[in-house]
Coordinates of all heavy atoms in Angstrom, one line a residue:
L39 N -25.5 -19.9 -15.0 CA -24.9 -20.4 -13.8 C -23.5 -21.1 -13.9 O -22.9 -21.4 -12.9 CB -25.9 -21.5 -13.2 CG -27.3 -20.8 -12.9 CD1 -28.2 -21.9 -12.2 CD2 -27.3 -19.6 -12.0
G40 N -23.0 -21.2 -15.1 CA -21.7 -21.9 -15.3 C -20.6 -21.0 -15.0 O -20.8 -19.7 -14.8
D41 N -19.4 -21.5 -15.0 CA -18.2 -20.6 -14.7 C -17.9 -19.6 -15.8 O -18.2 -19.9 -17.0 CB -16.9 -21.5 -14.5 CG -16.7 -22.1 -13.2 OD1 -17.3 -21.5 -12.3 OD2 -15.9 -23.0 -13.0
R42 N -17.4 -18.6 -15.4 CA -17.0 -17.5 -16.5 C -15.5 -17.4 -16.3 O -14.9 -17.8 -15.4 CB -17.6 -16.2 -16.1 CG -19.3 -16.3 -16.3 CD -19.7 -15.0 -16.3 NE -21.2 -15.1 -16.6 CZ -22.1 -14.1 -16.6 NH1 -21.6 -12.9 -16.2 NH2 -23.4 -14.3 -16.8
K43 N -15.0 -16.7 -17.4 CA -13.5 -16.4 -17.3 C -13.2 -15.6 -16.0 O -13.9 -14.8 -15.6 CB -13.1 -15.7 -18.5 CG -13.1 -16.4 -19.8 CD -12.4 -15.7 -20.9 CE -12.3 -16.6 -22.1 NZ -11.5 -16.0 -23.2
R44 N -12.0 -16.0 -15.5 CA -11.6 -15.3 -14.3 C -10.5 -14.3 -14.6 O -9.8 -14.5 -15.6 CB -11.1 -16.4 -13.2 CG -12.3 -17.3 -12.9 CD -11.8 -18.3 -11.9 NE -13.0 -19.2 -11.6 CZ -13.9 -19.0 -10.7 NH1 -14.0 -17.9 -10.0 NH2 -14.8 -20.0 -10.5
A45 N -10.3 -13.3 -13.8 CA -9.2 -12.5 -13.9 C -7.9 -13.2 -13.7 O -7.8 -14.2 -13.0 CB -9.3 -11.3 -12.8
G46 N -6.8 -12.5 -14.1 CA -5.5 -13.1 -14.0 C -4.9 -13.8 -15.2 O -5.6 -13.9 -16.2
R47 N -3.6 -14.1 -15.1 CA -2.9 -14.6 -16.4 C -3.4 -16.1 -16.5 O -3.5 -16.8 -15.6 CB -1.4 -14.4 -16.0 CG -0.5 -14.9 -17.2 CD 0.8 -14.7 -16.9 NE 1.3 -15.7 -15.9 CZ 2.5 -15.8 -15.5 NH1 3.5 -15.0 -15.8 NH2 2.9 -16.8 -14.6
P48 N -3.5 -16.4 -17.8 CA -3.9 -17.9 -18.0 C -2.7 -18.8 -17.7 O -1.6 -18.3 -17.7 CB -4.2 -17.8 -19.5 CG -3.7 -16.7 -20.1 CD -3.5 -15.6 -19.0
K49 N -3.0 -20.0 -17.5 CA -1.9 -21.0 -17.2 C -1.0 -21.0 -18.4 O -1.4 -21.2 -19.5 CB -2.5 -22.4 -16.9 CG -3.3 -22.5 -15.6 CD -3.9 -23.9 -15.5 CE -2.8 -24.9 -15.2 NZ -3.3 -26.2 -14.9
R50 N 0.3 -21.1 -18.0 CA 1.3 -21.1 -19.0 C 1.8 -22.5 -19.4 O 2.1 -22.9 -20.5 CB 2.5 -20.3 -18.5 CG 3.6 -20.1 -19.6 CD 4.6 -19.0 -19.2 NE 5.8 -19.2 -20.2 CZ 7.0 -19.1 -19.7 NH1 7.3 -18.7 -18.5 NH2 8.0 -19.2 -20.6
F51 N 1.7 -23.4 -18.4 CA 2.0 -24.8 -18.5 C 0.9 -25.8 -18.3 O 0.0 -25.5 -17.4 CB 3.2 -25.1 -17.5 CG 4.4 -24.2 -17.6 CD1 4.6 -23.2 -16.8 CD2 5.3 -24.4 -18.7 CE1 5.7 -22.4 -16.9 CE2 6.5 -23.6 -18.8 CZ 6.7 -22.6 -18.0
T52 N 1.0 -26.8 -19.0 CA -0.2 -27.7 -18.9 C 0.1 -28.8 -17.7 O 1.2 -28.7 -17.2 CB -0.3 -28.7 -20.1 OG1 0.9 -29.5 -20.2 CG2 -0.5 -27.9 -21.4
D53 N -0.9 -29.5 -17.3 CA -0.8 -30.4 -16.2 C 0.2 -31.5 -16.5 O 0.9 -31.9 -15.7 CB -2.1 -30.9 -15.7 CG -3.0 -29.8 -15.1 OD1 -2.5 -28.9 -14.6 OD2 -4.3 -30.0 -15.1
V54 N 0.2 -31.8 -17.7 CA 1.1 -32.9 -18.3 C 2.6 -32.4 -18.1 O 3.4 -33.2 -17.7 CB 0.7 -33.4 -19.7 CG1 1.8 -34.2 -20.3 CG2 -0.6 -33.9 -19.8
Q55 N 2.8 -31.2 -18.5 CA 4.2 -30.7 -18.5 C 4.6 -30.6 -17.0 O 5.8 -31.0 -16.6 CB 4.3 -29.2 -19.1 CG 4.1 -29.3 -20.6 CD 4.0 -27.9 -21.2 OE1 3.3 -27.1 -20.7 NE2 4.7 -27.7 -22.2
T56 N 3.7 -30.1 -16.1 CA 4.1 -30.0 -14.7 C 4.4 -31.6 -14.2 O 5.4 -31.7 -13.6 CB 2.9 -29.6 -13.8 OG1 2.5 -28.3 -14.4 CG2 3.2 -29.4 -12.4
A57 N 3.6 -32.6 -14.5 CA 3.8 -33.7 -14.0 C 5.2 -34.4 -14.7 O 5.9 -35.1 -14.0 CB 2.7 -34.8 -14.5
Q58 N 5.5 -34.1 -15.9 CA 6.7 -34.5 -16.5 C 8.0 -33.9 -15.9 O 8.9 -34.6 -15.6 CB 6.8 -34.2 -18.1 CG 5.7 -35.0 -18.8 CD 5.7 -34.6 -20.4 OE1 5.9 -33.4 -20.6 NE2 5.5 -35.6 -21.2
V59 N 7.8 -32.7 -15.5 CA 9.0 -32.0 -14.7 C 9.2 -32.7 -13.4 O 10.3 -33.0 -13.0 CB 8.8 -30.5 -14.7 CG1 9.9 -29.8 -13.7 CG2 8.8 -29.9 -16.1
K60 N 8.0 -33.0 -12.8 CA 8.1 -33.7 -11.5 C 8.6 -35.0 -11.5 O 9.4 -35.5 -10.6 CB 6.7 -33.7 -10.7 CG 6.2 -32.4 -10.3 CD 4.8 -32.4 -9.8 CE 4.3 -31.0 -9.2 NZ 3.0 -31.1 -8.7
A61 N 8.3 -35.8 -12.5 CA 8.8 -37.1 -12.7 C 10.4 -37.1 -13.0 O 11.1 -37.9 -12.6 CB 8.1 -37.7 -14.0
L62 N 10.7 -36.0 -13.8 CA 12.2 -35.9 -14.1 C 12.9 -35.7 -12.7 O 14.0 -36.2 -12.6 CB 12.4 -34.7 -15.0 CG 13.7 -34.2 -15.3 CD1 14.5 -35.4 -16.0 CD2 13.8 -33.0 -16.2
A63 N 12.4 -34.9 -11.8 CA 13.0 -34.6 -10.6 C 13.2 -35.9 -9.8 O 14.1 -36.0 -8.9 CB 12.2 -33.6 -9.8
C64 N 12.3 -36.9 -10.0 CA 12.3 -38.1 -9.2 C 13.4 -39.1 -9.7 O 13.6 -40.2 -9.1 CB 11.0 -38.7 -9.1 SG 9.8 -37.8 -8.1
E65 N 13.9 -38.8 -10.8 CA 15.0 -39.7 -11.5 C 16.4 -39.2 -11.2 O 16.5 -38.0 -10.9 CB 14.8 -39.7 -13.0 CG 13.5 -40.4 -13.4 CD 13.4 -40.5 -14.9 OE1 14.5 -40.5 -15.5 OE2 12.2 -40.5 -15.4
L66 N 17.3 -40.1 -11.1 CA 18.8 -39.6 -10.9 C 19.2 -38.9 -12.2 O 18.9 -39.3 -13.3 CB 19.5 -40.8 -10.6 CG 19.4 -41.5 -9.4 CD1 20.2 -42.9 -9.3 CD2 19.7 -40.6 -8.3
P67 N 20.0 -37.9 -12.0 CA 20.5 -37.2 -13.2 C 21.4 -38.1 -14.1 O 21.4 -37.9 -15.3 CB 21.5 -36.1 -12.5 CG 21.0 -35.9 -11.2 CD 20.4 -37.3 -10.8
T68 N 22.0 -39.1 -13.6 CA 22.7 -40.0 -14.4 C 22.0 -40.6 -15.4 O 22.5 -41.1 -16.5 CB 23.7 -41.0 -13.6 OG1 22.8 -41.6 -12.7 CG2 24.7 -40.2 -12.8
A69 N 20.6 -40.9 -15.1 CA 19.8 -41.7 -16.0 C 19.6 -40.7 -17.3 O 19.1 -41.3 -18.3 CB 18.4 -41.9 -15.3
W70 N 19.8 -39.4 -17.2 CA 19.6 -38.6 -18.2 C 20.9 -38.1 -18.8 O 21.0 -37.2 -19.7 CB 18.8 -37.3 -17.7 CG 17.4 -37.6 -17.6 CD1 16.9 -38.2 -16.5 CD2 16.3 -37.4 -18.5 NE1 15.5 -38.3 -16.7 CE2 15.2 -37.8 -18.0 CE3 16.2 -36.8 -19.8 CZ2 13.9 -37.8 -18.6 CZ3 15.0 -36.7 -20.5 CH2 13.8 -37.2 -19.8
G71 N 22.0 -38.8 -18.4 CA 23.3 -38.5 -18.9 C 23.9 -37.0 -18.4 O 24.8 -36.5 -19.0
V72 N 23.3 -36.6 -17.3 CA 23.8 -35.4 -16.7 C 24.9 -35.8 -15.6 O 24.5 -36.6 -14.8 CB 22.7 -34.7 -16.1 CG1 23.2 -33.3 -15.5 CG2 21.7 -34.3 -17.2
P73 N 25.9 -35.3 -15.6 CA 27.0 -35.6 -14.7 C 27.0 -35.0 -13.3 O 27.8 -34.2 -12.8 CB 28.4 -35.1 -15.3 CG 28.0 -33.9 -16.1 CD 26.6 -34.3 -16.6
L74 N 25.8 -35.3 -12.6 CA 25.5 -34.7 -11.3 C 25.1 -35.8 -10.4 O 24.6 -36.9 -10.8 CB 24.3 -33.7 -11.4 CG 24.5 -32.5 -12.4 CD1 23.0 -31.7 -12.5 CD2 25.4 -31.6 -11.8
S75 N 25.4 -35.6 -9.1 CA 24.9 -36.5 -8.1 C 23.4 -36.3 -7.8 O 22.8 -37.3 -7.4 CB 25.8 -36.6 -6.9 OG 25.7 -35.2 -6.3
R76 N 22.9 -35.1 -7.9 CA 21.5 -34.8 -7.5 C 21.1 -33.5 -8.3 O 22.0 -32.6 -8.7 CB 21.3 -34.8 -6.1 CG 22.2 -33.7 -5.4 CD 22.0 -33.8 -3.9 NE 23.2 -33.5 -3.2 CZ 23.9 -34.3 -2.5 NH1 23.6 -35.5 -2.3 NH2 25.1 -33.8 -1.9
W77 N 19.8 -33.4 -8.4 CA 19.3 -32.2 -9.2 C 19.1 -30.9 -8.3 O 18.9 -31.1 -7.1 CB 17.8 -32.5 -9.6 CG 17.8 -33.5 -10.7 CD1 17.1 -34.8 -10.6 CD2 18.1 -33.5 -12.1 NE1 17.2 -35.5 -11.8 CE2 17.7 -34.6 -12.8 CE3 18.8 -32.5 -12.9 CZ2 17.9 -34.9 -14.0 CZ3 19.0 -32.7 -14.2 CH2 18.5 -33.9 -14.8
S78 N 19.3 -29.8 -8.9 CA 18.9 -28.6 -8.3 C 17.8 -28.1 -9.1 O 17.5 -28.6 -10.2 CB 20.0 -27.6 -8.3 OG 20.2 -27.0 -9.6
A79 N 17.0 -27.0 -8.6 CA 15.8 -26.5 -9.4 C 16.4 -25.9 -10.7 O 15.7 -26.1 -11.7 CB 15.1 -25.6 -8.6
A80 N 17.5 -25.2 -10.7 CA 18.0 -24.7 -11.9 C 18.4 -25.7 -12.9 O 18.2 -25.5 -14.1 CB 19.2 -23.8 -11.6
E81 N 19.0 -26.8 -12.4 CA 19.5 -27.9 -13.4 C 18.3 -28.6 -14.0 O 18.3 -29.0 -15.1 CB 20.3 -28.8 -12.6 CG 21.7 -28.2 -12.4 CD 22.4 -28.8 -11.2 OE1 21.8 -29.5 -10.4 OE2 23.6 -28.5 -11.1
L82 N 17.1 -28.8 -13.1 CA 16.0 -29.4 -13.6 C 15.3 -28.5 -14.6 O 14.8 -29.1 -15.7 CB 15.0 -29.6 -12.5 CG 15.3 -30.8 -11.6 CD1 14.5 -30.7 -10.3 CD2 14.8 -32.1 -12.4
A83 N 15.3 -27.2 -14.4 CA 14.8 -26.3 -15.5 C 15.5 -26.4 -16.7 O 14.9 -26.5 -17.8 CB 14.8 -24.8 -14.9
D84 N 16.8 -26.4 -16.7 CA 17.6 -26.5 -17.9 C 17.3 -27.8 -18.5 O 17.2 -27.8 -19.8 CB 19.1 -26.4 -17.6 CG 19.5 -25.0 -17.1 OD1 18.7 -24.0 -17.4 OD2 20.6 -24.8 -16.5
E85 N 17.3 -28.9 -17.8 CA 17.1 -30.3 -18.4 C 15.6 -30.3 -19.0 O 15.5 -31.1 -20.0 CB 17.4 -31.4 -17.4 CG 17.3 -32.7 -18.0 CD 18.4 -32.9 -19.2 OE1 19.6 -32.3 -19.0 OE2 18.3 -33.7 -20.0
A86 N 14.7 -29.7 -18.4 CA 13.3 -29.8 -18.9 C 13.3 -29.1 -20.3 O 12.5 -29.6 -21.2 CB 12.3 -29.2 -18.0
V87 N 14.0 -28.1 -20.5 CA 14.0 -27.3 -21.6 C 14.8 -28.2 -22.8 O 14.3 -28.4 -23.9 CB 14.7 -26.0 -21.6 CG1 14.9 -25.3 -22.9 CG2 13.8 -25.0 -20.7
A88 N 15.9 -28.7 -22.3 CA 16.7 -29.5 -23.2 C 16.0 -30.8 -23.7 O 16.1 -31.2 -24.8 CB 18.1 -30.0 -22.6
A89 N 15.2 -31.4 -22.8 CA 14.4 -32.7 -23.2 C 13.3 -32.3 -24.0 O 12.4 -33.2 -24.4 CB 14.0 -33.3 -21.8
G90 N 12.9 -31.0 -24.1 CA 11.7 -30.6 -24.9 C 10.4 -30.7 -24.1 O 9.3 -30.7 -24.8
I91 N 10.4 -30.9 -22.9 CA 9.2 -30.9 -22.1 C 8.5 -29.5 -22.1 O 7.3 -29.5 -22.2 CB 9.5 -31.4 -20.6 CG1 10.1 -32.7 -20.5 CG2 8.3 -31.2 -19.7 CD1 10.6 -33.2 -19.2
V92 N 9.3 -28.6 -22.0 CA 8.8 -27.2 -22.0 C 9.6 -26.3 -22.8 O 10.8 -26.6 -23.1 CB 8.7 -26.6 -20.5 CG1 7.6 -27.2 -19.7 CG2 10.0 -26.5 -19.9
E93 N 9.1 -25.3 -23.4 CA 9.8 -24.3 -24.3 C 10.9 -23.5 -23.4 O 12.0 -23.2 -23.8 CB 8.9 -23.4 -25.1 CG 9.6 -22.7 -26.2 CD 8.6 -22.1 -27.1 OE1 7.6 -22.7 -27.5 OE2 8.7 -20.8 -27.3
D94 N 10.3 -23.0 -22.3 CA 11.1 -22.2 -21.3 C 10.5 -22.2 -19.9 O 9.3 -22.2 -19.9 CB 11.1 -20.7 -21.9 CG 12.1 -19.8 -21.1 OD1 13.2 -20.4 -20.6 OD2 11.9 -18.6 -20.9
I95 N 11.4 -22.2 -18.9 CA 10.9 -22.3 -17.6 C 12.0 -21.8 -16.7 O 13.2 -22.0 -16.9 CB 10.5 -23.8 -17.2 CG1 9.7 -23.8 -15.9 CG2 11.6 -24.7 -17.2 CD1 9.0 -25.1 -15.7
S96 N 11.5 -21.2 -15.5 CA 12.5 -20.7 -14.6 C 12.6 -21.7 -13.5 O 11.8 -22.4 -13.2 CB 11.9 -19.4 -14.0 OG 10.7 -19.6 -13.2

Side-chain angles (χ1 to χ4, degrees):
L39 302 180
D41 271 347
R42 294 196 174 172
K43 286 191 173 186
R44 299 181 185 272
R47 186 175 74 176
K49 287 178 73 171
R50 188 167 164 218
F51 302 103
T52 65
D53 293 337
V54 172
Q55 289 172 317
T56 304
Q58 288 174 328
V59 172
K60 289 177 182 180
L62 175 63
C64 293
E65 295 183 25
L66 289 173
T68 53
W70 286 80
V72 179
L74 301 169
S75 60
R76 56 187 150 245
W77 292 112
S78 70
E81 291 155 345
L82 278 166
D84 292 342
E85 190 59 33
V87 171
I91 297 171
V92 292
E93 195 172 304
D94 187 35
I95 191 168
S96 69

